[in-house]
Amino acid sequence: GAVVSQHPSWVICKSGTSVKIECRSLDFQATTMFWYRQFPKQSLMLMATSNEGSKATYEQGVEKDKFLINHASLTLSTLTVTSAHPEDSSFYICSATRPLSNQPQHFGDGTRLSIL
Amino acid sequence: GQQVMQIPQYQHVQEGEDFTTYCNSSTTLSNIQWYKQRPGGHPVFLIQLVKSGEVKKQKRLTFQFGEAKKNSSLHITATQTTDVGTYFCAGVTPSNTGKLIFGQGTTLQVKP
């Protein structure tokens, strides 16, 4: 069964709205979670690394004030797209990895975000 | 920056034919992972290779990790329609604890 749950799976909203996406690890404590963005027919682009109890580490070119990440517990990380605009429309996927080294990443089902 | 190149971008095969996708990293990797993403779905972990020269098999899938730990391949023997999807390699460098660098992916189409 799924080890990472992502919610919601699909969001359609008006421009200017802030959207929160949740990522939960279901059967293990994830000290680190990752947030990706994927455009159609393209690869996954890492946006940020979410660390429990500390600030997220953002990749170059990703606006931290635009994409707010909170990792308040060992099983939950949230990504908030603030004041979303049509260009923010994309497929957002989170992943979590077990604490041991060299562990694979388990991906959530993804959130398809459409901004009108 | 660190890059993982993957080719080909697309591959159309007749059912029963073999398929191979290749990955090449600009830097030495500590391990490489392979994922499959079906259309509309999320990436699903297939396998991880850690040792230099490692070869692993999963039924019709054969995964290889190069001796220099900079390249890898996935070979599917006698493709089936269920193999359709995009296959991604993703490398982890010694300095990027846990962070995956994804290749561009190879999208496989299988004609019945």
Side-chain angles (χ1 to χ4, degrees):
Chain A
V3 296
V4 175
S5 171
Q6 187 172 341
H7 179 80
S9 57
W10 201 0
V11 181
I12 302 174
C13 58
K14 294 181 179 179
S15 185
T17 307
S18 291
V19 179
K20 180 186 278 189
I21 303 170
E22 293 187 348
C23 182
R24 294 181 185 273
S25 59
L26 299 180
D27 64 351
F28 63 94
Q29 292 181 334
T31 52
T32 303
M33 291 185 177
F34 301 91
W35 287 96
Y36 296 85
R37 185 173 181 175
Q38 187 178 33
F39 291 106
K41 300 187 187 299
Q42 293 191 23
S43 187
L44 284 79
M45 183 195 78
L46 179 64
M47 298 175 66
T49 303
S50 174
N51 304 298
E52 186 270 335
S54 64
K55 291 182 180 180
T57 305
Y58 290 83
E59 295 299 302
Q60 192 172 8
V62 179
E63 298 177 60
K64 60 182 179 181
D65 294 331
K66 175 75 172 175
F67 299 100
L68 300 178
I69 292 173
N70 185 286
H71 195 152
S73 77
L74 286 171
T75 59
L76 174 64
S77 175
T78 61
L79 167 68
T80 301
V81 184
T82 61
S83 187
H85 292 285
E87 59 267 26
D88 298 322
S89 298
S90 189
F91 189 50
Y92 293 88
I93 317 176
C94 70
S95 72
T97 184
R98 296 177 191 270
L100 299 176
S101 63
N102 283 341
Q103 293 295 304
Q105 291 188 17
H106 299 278
F107 287 84
D109 288 342
T111 297
R112 206 160 295 278
L113 176 62
S114 295
I115 308 298
L116 304 177
Chain B
Q2 296 151 343
Q3 288 187 344
V4 174
M5 306 299 294
Q6 187 174 355
I7 58 169
Q9 187 175 3
Y10 297 99
Q11 185 82 59
H12 290 76
V13 300
Q14 197 72 40
E15 189 173 23
E17 292 181 339
D18 293 354
F19 159 77
T20 305
T21 173
Y22 302 90
C23 276
N24 191 55
S25 168
S26 57
T27 58
T28 301
L29 302 171
S30 58
N31 71 75
I32 194 160
Q33 300 172 21
W34 285 89
Y35 293 81
K36 177 182 179 181
Q37 185 176 24
R38 293 182 185 274
H42 63 276
V44 174
F45 174 75
L46 294 177
I47 209 159
Q48 177 176 265
L49 304 169
V50 179
K51 299 177 183 176
S52 168
E54 189 169 16
V55 178
K56 286 188 176 180
K57 291 191 175 184
Q58 287 181 352
K59 297 183 180 178
R60 295 178 293 104
L61 278 61
T62 302
F63 303 84
Q64 292 187 319
F65 200 12
E67 294 290 341
K69 300 184 73 172
K70 295 178 72 173
N71 56 68
S72 182
S73 65
L74 157 59
H75 180 81
I76 302 178
T77 304
T79 54
Q80 300 175 358
T81 54
T82 52
D83 296 325
V84 164
T86 301
Y87 293 85
F88 292 99
C89 62
V92 178
T93 65
S95 60
N96 285 348
T97 48
K99 194 164 75 170
L100 291 174
I101 305 168
F102 276 85
Q104 296 91 333
T106 298
T107 298
L108 172 64
Q109 294 283 359
V110 179
K111 290 177 280 188

